[in-house]
């Protein structure tokens, strides 16, 4: 139980430095890092991959492995120095007073042990609680984390739960002994946006209920805005800005913080009139940090002879001792100066229809066995009557939660799966039933894909140039090796990679650079349709901006049709011309971006918009948290697919939602919604996202 007598900061990190030691050198991972967390306070730690966020968390847990060492500063927990504690004392504190929730829930769960037993272990080991009390406590916590049918959950194995349910169990496990400090390391990265919203809501409520202090590690500024009281921005091992949410979001005083905000799409950003500004250059490796300010090679305010000299210390912003920055020039910079307008890009003219899907269905038959219970084969209805068109130079975004059928329809389009019924028309010819091995070389070259994870799609034993040339050979482009080599170098130019990268191996590239190679390969055969499946979700926010703008630029030059599969509605709003919202195999809404992002909405679209974390203090959002998970496509609910989670269901007369699938009907020119609500009811819907202009 939390120690009631102690009333100072729960966690106080002072001038912490952590290094990792290899045979060759000492690699400083964290330098001169300070932050404190008061009782009941939530502090967000943000920054790009590799900046040292997780190292700080592992330092607090005293879990740096054999090569990691604290080489300076101190970590005080409730006034006691963690470094001075014995192994037994640390074991006593870990799990009971300090708990950590990791990014991947399955890494924290034992696959061979029932959930109830795993939860009961915590208080039985840490507090010596009896088995019956531990079970009652487990039941209470599972109820607290809003899981349905807690008794059934306690008897289940981890694999029988969805990702969102597994993450809730991990949170429940962390809360079993009512810790004083909860460290959350990117706890929602692997989850859908609607599940993420519910988990974030849960963490906030539980923080209040148990009075737990939190260190929330994330690269998502919107999430930190919604969950934290204060924020600390990290760059290359150092804290560069610290302060309250309002201070840092509205009165930022570090060039890196400013650059981060300019690289994320906020409401109102326009891909042609106000493109995102990517941070130039690359993140420095720990042993290649520049002298002086770590950010100076990428900073637009850099001053030679000043910013690149000596170590730069954190300094309080005048008039606010709780707001500090690590910048020599913060008093001289005009922070209110408008962003110098980038070149206004002209949108390519949207042309003829290239791709048409007509009543596409994709069902899978699953062989029955004891696991699924029953003797007949089961049918998974992955796609139900998808109909839409995509035109030349158009970006059509496809959004929805995991399991809604987005990737299945992409596989049918690519020829990796064949359609059960309906048509996929490319230039009027049906290719839906033609597997990829039977498609013409031209058809394969015409439809290409950029995948979510750039690490999995490149051959680790082949140079970058060779991988692109291999694609050119397959597409029969170029008469000989020399012509293909010239084309390969042109493709590197197209994705803005230096030509010398042709000789590099994938392991020598960063995530963003690998994704650019993937894009170059997709355009090797002058693809006319590119299916981008979550192409930026594995990348840092600053890299996302560069890759997103690159896709838009290539689209303008090549007149490509872009099918952009995503669950990040901020990016969708920024770059899509039209949006198709999918739920459980159905298209529930289809329209232009402006139509889909303003009322009337399909009830599911309304909930999706409400779930998106937005990094802007002026934005007001309607609060809608969806209960439950997406139903199984093997056993979909009768009637409307969304009726089990819909907050508008009671507005429909009778039990129509439970009996009949609603028709996809037009509510305006080019705007279709699959819903039983009447036009009058839809017209009463209020906007989910409003920018509070008065606060400007």
């Amino acid at each position: 139980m939390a120690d009631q007598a102690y009333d100072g900061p729960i966690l106080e990190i002072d001038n912490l430095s952590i290094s990792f030691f290899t045979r060759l050198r000492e690699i400083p991972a964290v330098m001169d890092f300070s932050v404190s967390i008061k009782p009941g306070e939530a502090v967000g730690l943000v920054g790009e991959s590799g900046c040292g966020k997780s190292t700080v968390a592992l330092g607090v847990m005293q879990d740096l492995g054999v090569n990691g060492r604290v080489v300076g500063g101190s970590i005080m927990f409730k006034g006691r120095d963690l470094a001075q504690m014995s192994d037994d004392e640390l074991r006593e504190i870990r799990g009971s007073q300090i708990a950590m929730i990791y990014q991947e829930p399955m890494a924290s769960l034992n696959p061979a042990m029932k959930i109830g037993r795993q939860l009961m272990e915590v208080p039985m080991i840490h507090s010596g609680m009896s088995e019956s009390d531990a079970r009652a406590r487990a039941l209470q916590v599972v109820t607290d984390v809003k899981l349905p049918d807690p008794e059934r959950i306690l008897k289940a194995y981890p694999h029988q739960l969805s990702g969102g349910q597994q993450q809730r169990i991990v949170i429940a496990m962390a809360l079993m002994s009512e810790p004083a400090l909860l460290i959350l390391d990117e706890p929602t990265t692997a989850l859908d946006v609607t599940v993420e919203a519910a988990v974030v809501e849960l963490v906030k409520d539980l923080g209040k209920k148990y009075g737990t202090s939190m260190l929330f590690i994330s690269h998502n500024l919107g999430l930190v805005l919604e969950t934290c009281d204060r924020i600390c921005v990290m760059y290359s091992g150092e804290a560069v800005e610290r302060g309250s949410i309002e201070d840092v979001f509205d009165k930022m005083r570090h060039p890196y913080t400013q650059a981060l905000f300019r690289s994320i799409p906020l409401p109102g950003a326009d891909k042609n009139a106000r493109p995102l500004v990517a941070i130039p250059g690359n993140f420095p490796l720990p042993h290649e940090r520049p002298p002086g300010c770590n950010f100076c090679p990428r900073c637009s305010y850099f001053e030679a002879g000043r910013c690149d000299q000596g170590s730069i210390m954190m300094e309080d912003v005048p008039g606010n001792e709780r707001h500090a920055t690590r910048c020599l020039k913060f008093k001289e910079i005009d922070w209110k100066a408008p962003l110098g307008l980038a070149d206004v890009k002209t949108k390519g003219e949207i042309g003829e229809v290239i791709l048409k899907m007509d009543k596409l269905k994709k069902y899978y038959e699953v062989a029955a066995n004891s696991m699924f219970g029953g003797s007949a084969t089961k049918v998974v209805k992955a796609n139900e009557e998808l109909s839409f068109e995509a035109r030349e130079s158009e970006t059509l975004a496809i959004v929805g939660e995991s399991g809604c059928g987005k990737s299945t329809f992409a596989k049918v389009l690519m020829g990796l799966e064949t359609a059960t019924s309906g048509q996929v028309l490319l230039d009027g010819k049906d290719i839906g039933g033609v597997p990829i091995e039977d498609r013409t070389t031209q058809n394969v070259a015409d439809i290409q894909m950029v995948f979510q994870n750039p690490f999995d799609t490149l051959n680790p034993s082949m140079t970058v140039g060779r991988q692109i040339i291999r694609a050119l050979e397959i597409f029969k482009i170029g008469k000989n090796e020399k012509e293909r080599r010239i084309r390969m170098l042109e493709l590197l130019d197209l994705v803005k990679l230096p030509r010398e990268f042709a000789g590099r191996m994938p392991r020598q590239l960063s995530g963003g650079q690998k994704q650019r190679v993937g894009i170059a390969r997709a355009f090797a055969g002058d693809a006319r349709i590119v299916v981008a499946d979550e192409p930026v979700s594995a990348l840092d926010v600053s890299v996302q901006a560069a890759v997103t703008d690159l896709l838009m630029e290539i689209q303008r030059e090549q007149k490509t049709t872009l099918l952009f599969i995503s669950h990040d509605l901020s990016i969708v709003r920024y770059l899509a011309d039209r949006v198709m919202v999918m739920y459980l195999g159905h298209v529930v809404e289809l329209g232009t971006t402006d139509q889909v992002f303003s009322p009337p909405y399909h009830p599911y679209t309304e909930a999706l918009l409400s779930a998106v974390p937005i990094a802007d203090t002026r934005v007001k959002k309607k609060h809608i948290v969806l209960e439950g998970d997406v139903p199984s496509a093997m056993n979909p609910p009768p009637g409307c697919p969304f009726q089990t989670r819909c907050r508008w269901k009671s507005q429909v007369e009778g039990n129509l939602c439970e009996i009949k699938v609603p028709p996809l009907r037009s509510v305006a020119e080019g705007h279709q919604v699959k819903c039983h609500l009447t036009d009058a009811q839809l017209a009463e819907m209020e906007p989910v996202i409003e920018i509070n202009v008065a606060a400007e």
Side-chain angles (χ1 to χ4, degrees):
M1 297 290 281
D3 179 2
Q4 299 303 315
Y6 182 76
D7 62 353
I10 292 290
L11 183 71
E12 195 160 19
I13 300 176
D14 190 37
N15 295 341
L16 177 70
S17 294
I18 296 174
S19 290
F20 289 91
F21 293 84
T22 66
R23 280 176 310 191
L24 296 175
R25 58 169 78 89
E26 174 187 349
I27 298 172
V30 174
M31 296 93 67
D32 180 33
F33 179 85
S34 302
V35 76
S36 70
I37 306 177
K38 293 178 176 170
E41 185 176 51
V43 174
L45 195 53
V46 298
E48 296 169 90
S49 306
C51 74
K53 306 185 298 285
S54 296
T55 305
V56 169
L58 293 172
V60 174
M61 297 298 284
Q62 296 287 300
D63 183 21
L64 291 165
V66 273
N67 297 332
R69 276 213 300 276
V70 172
V71 292
S74 62
I75 306 170
M76 310 289 282
F77 174 69
K78 291 189 174 179
R80 295 179 63 201
D81 190 339
L82 289 169
Q84 305 299 320
M85 292 186 189
S86 68
D87 286 351
D88 285 346
E89 286 177 303
L90 283 171
R91 207 171 294 121
E92 186 64 36
I93 280 181
R94 278 192 209 119
S96 63
Q97 298 210 39
I98 305 177
M100 187 157 172
I101 295 169
Y102 296 89
Q103 184 168 345
E104 183 46 64
M106 270 313 272
S108 308
L109 295 172
N110 182 338
M113 197 189 245
K114 288 183 178 172
I115 297 292
R117 180 53 56 187
Q118 295 192 49
L119 288 170
M120 287 159 63
E121 268 192 345
V122 181
M124 285 165 73
I125 290 170
H126 284 294
S127 319
M129 199 181 269
S130 71
E131 190 159 333
S132 58
D133 286 353
R135 183 175 166 76
R137 174 100 183 98
L139 199 61
Q140 169 63 44
V141 177
V142 170
T143 311
D144 279 352
V145 296
K146 298 190 169 64
L147 279 166
D149 195 355
E151 282 287 356
R152 184 184 63 80
I153 296 274
L154 292 181
K155 293 185 184 125
Y157 286 97
H159 71 266
Q160 293 170 308
L161 308 183
S162 70
Q165 289 173 332
Q166 286 171 1
Q167 193 61 292
R168 283 164 191 243
I169 289 298
V170 172
I171 292 171
M173 203 180 285
L175 291 167
M176 278 298 283
S177 53
E178 298 189 16
L181 176 67
L182 189 56
I183 302 172
L184 302 105
D185 189 0
E186 303 268 15
T188 59
T189 306
L191 306 179
D192 275 314
V193 66
T194 48
V195 182
E196 174 181 84
V199 168
V200 164
E201 185 68 18
L202 174 73
V203 167
K204 272 164 51 181
D205 288 351
L206 295 172
K208 287 194 190 86
K209 177 175 176 179
Y210 292 109
T212 312
S213 304
M214 288 192 278
L215 181 63
F216 193 96
I217 297 172
S218 181
H219 63 261
N220 186 326
L221 288 160
L223 267 187
V224 169
L225 168 67
E226 291 187 2
T227 45
C228 298
D229 307 301
R230 289 192 304 121
I231 179 174
C232 177
V233 182
M234 280 189 86
Y235 180 78
S236 190
E238 295 179 327
V240 293
E241 187 162 10
R242 257 197 326 263
S244 70
I245 292 289
E246 290 72 20
D247 287 337
V248 176
F249 276 62
D250 300 337
K251 299 194 276 284
M252 59 192 72
R253 289 294 178 267
H254 195 280
Y256 175 61
T257 313
Q258 186 183 54
L260 263 188
F261 275 92
R262 287 177 172 176
S263 67
I264 56 177
L266 295 173
D270 180 276
K271 64 181 172 187
N272 296 313
R274 191 182 160 275
L276 300 180
V277 181
I279 304 174
N282 285 317
F283 195 78
L285 292 169
H287 56 282
E288 294 173 354
R289 291 190 177 107
C293 170
N294 283 344
F295 188 58
C296 70
R298 307 174 73 188
C299 179
S300 45
Y301 306 109
F302 171 68
E303 188 181 321
R306 187 176 168 199
C307 298
D308 51 6
Q309 305 294 314
S311 60
I312 293 159
M313 308 310 287
M314 287 293 267
E315 196 179 333
D316 286 347
V317 174
N320 185 351
E321 76 283 353
R322 297 209 59 191
H323 187 188
T325 176
R326 196 184 292 270
C327 176
L328 294 172
K329 301 183 68 177
F330 79 93
K331 292 174 188 165
E332 303 154 37
I333 295 167
D334 180 0
W335 297 101
K336 290 199 164 64
L339 182 59
L341 272 180
D343 307 337
V344 174
K345 306 288 200 319
T346 51
K347 168 74 189 151
E349 200 62 37
I350 291 181
E352 298 295 308
V353 172
I354 288 187
L355 177 72
K356 184 173 174 161
M357 285 212 176
D358 191 27
K359 296 190 174 159
L360 173 80
K361 282 188 181 181
K362 176 62 188 171
Y363 291 177
Y364 294 98
E365 283 198 350
V366 180
N369 60 22
S370 56
M371 184 173 159
F372 293 107
S375 51
T377 54
K378 293 262 189 183
V379 175
V380 177
K381 299 179 176 181
N383 288 150
E384 287 274 24
E385 295 217 347
L386 293 190
S387 297
F388 70 90
E389 298 175 339
R391 297 175 173 78
E392 183 182 82
S393 274
E394 179 179 48
T395 303
L396 173 67
I398 296 112
V399 298
E401 294 168 279
S402 306
C404 73
K406 307 186 296 280
S407 297
T408 301
F409 116 81
K411 285 177 186 167
V412 173
L413 181 57
M414 299 288 298
L416 300 171
E417 301 278 2
T418 52
T420 304
S421 68
Q423 294 181 307
V424 180
L425 301 168
L426 177 67
D427 297 327
K429 292 192 186 70
D430 186 6
I431 56 167
V434 185
I436 194 161
E437 57 270 24
D438 296 339
R439 291 190 180 183
T440 63
T441 305
Q442 188 57 51
N443 269 354
V444 174
D446 277 347
I447 306 175
Q448 283 294 299
M449 194 156 183
V450 178
F451 295 90
Q452 178 169 357
N453 196 338
F455 306 92
D456 295 343
T457 53
L458 298 180
N459 184 332
S461 59
M462 216 184 251
T463 64
V464 164
R466 185 72 228 141
Q467 304 204 36
I468 297 173
I469 288 172
R470 179 94 185 86
L472 293 168
E473 286 169 354
I474 290 167
F475 298 143
K476 300 185 170 57
I477 288 169
K479 295 189 188 70
N480 51 40
E481 187 70 16
K482 186 182 173 190
E483 281 188 14
R484 283 193 277 271
R485 183 160 180 82
I486 292 166
R487 175 71 183 135
M488 179 268 292
L489 293 171
E490 286 170 356
L491 284 163
L492 287 179
D493 294 343
L494 180 72
V495 296
K496 297 188 167 47
L497 282 177
R499 287 187 165 200
E500 59 266 25
F501 273 41
R504 288 199 183 178
M505 302 301 279
R507 66 172 184 275
Q508 297 170 290
L509 272 56
S510 69
Q513 289 165 341
K514 284 181 184 159
Q515 195 58 295
R516 284 164 188 256
V517 176
I519 292 169
R521 210 170 45 178
F523 281 94
D526 291 324
R528 295 169 62 209
I529 297 169
V530 169
V531 182
D533 188 359
E534 303 268 14
V536 294
S537 64
L539 306 176
D540 275 313
V541 275
S542 55
V543 184
Q544 279 184 8
V547 172
T548 305
D549 262 4
L550 174 68
L551 281 169
M552 304 317 305
E553 204 165 308
I554 295 174
Q555 182 184 46
R556 278 189 284 268
E557 285 174 24
Q558 313 260 347
K559 294 188 164 37
T560 319
T561 303
L562 197 58
L563 299 182
F564 193 87
I565 297 174
S566 182
H567 66 257
D568 184 342
L569 287 170
S570 303
I571 285 186
V572 164
R573 184 172 199 165
Y574 171 72
L575 61 77
D577 300 303
R578 286 191 306 135
V579 179
M580 180 164 97
V581 182
M582 287 184 69
Y583 187 81
L584 204 58
H586 293 257
V587 176
V588 294
E589 185 163 6
L590 178 62
T592 66
T593 307
D594 287 343
Q595 286 171 334
V596 171
F597 277 79
S598 52
Y601 312 105
H602 185 280
Y604 177 57
T605 311
E606 181 188 46
L608 268 187
L609 289 173
S610 155
V612 180
I614 298 171
D616 192 333
T617 53
R618 299 165 306 155
V619 167
K620 277 191 174 155
K621 268 195 332 185
K622 184 177 279 187
H623 197 67
I624 305 159
V625 172
L626 282 183
E627 298 296 328
D629 293 308
V630 180
S632 161
M634 206 185 301
N635 188 19
C640 171
F642 187 57
Q643 53 105 347
T644 55
R645 302 167 80 195
C646 182
R647 73 190 195 107
W648 289 83
K649 183 171 150 186
S650 58
Q651 310 283 323
V652 178
E653 286 183 19
N655 55 355
L656 191 61
C657 297
E658 294 172 21
I659 301 168
K660 189 171 175 235
V661 176
L664 190 65
R665 70 178 203 270
S666 286
V667 289
E669 176 73 31
H671 187 192
Q672 297 172 300
V673 172
K674 187 178 259 191
C675 186
H676 285 306
L677 289 172
T678 63
D679 288 356
Q681 286 169 319
L682 286 171
E684 285 173 16
M685 283 193 168
E686 295 167 357
V688 171
I689 298 169
E690 287 185 281
I691 299 176
N692 179 8
V693 185
E696 283 189 346

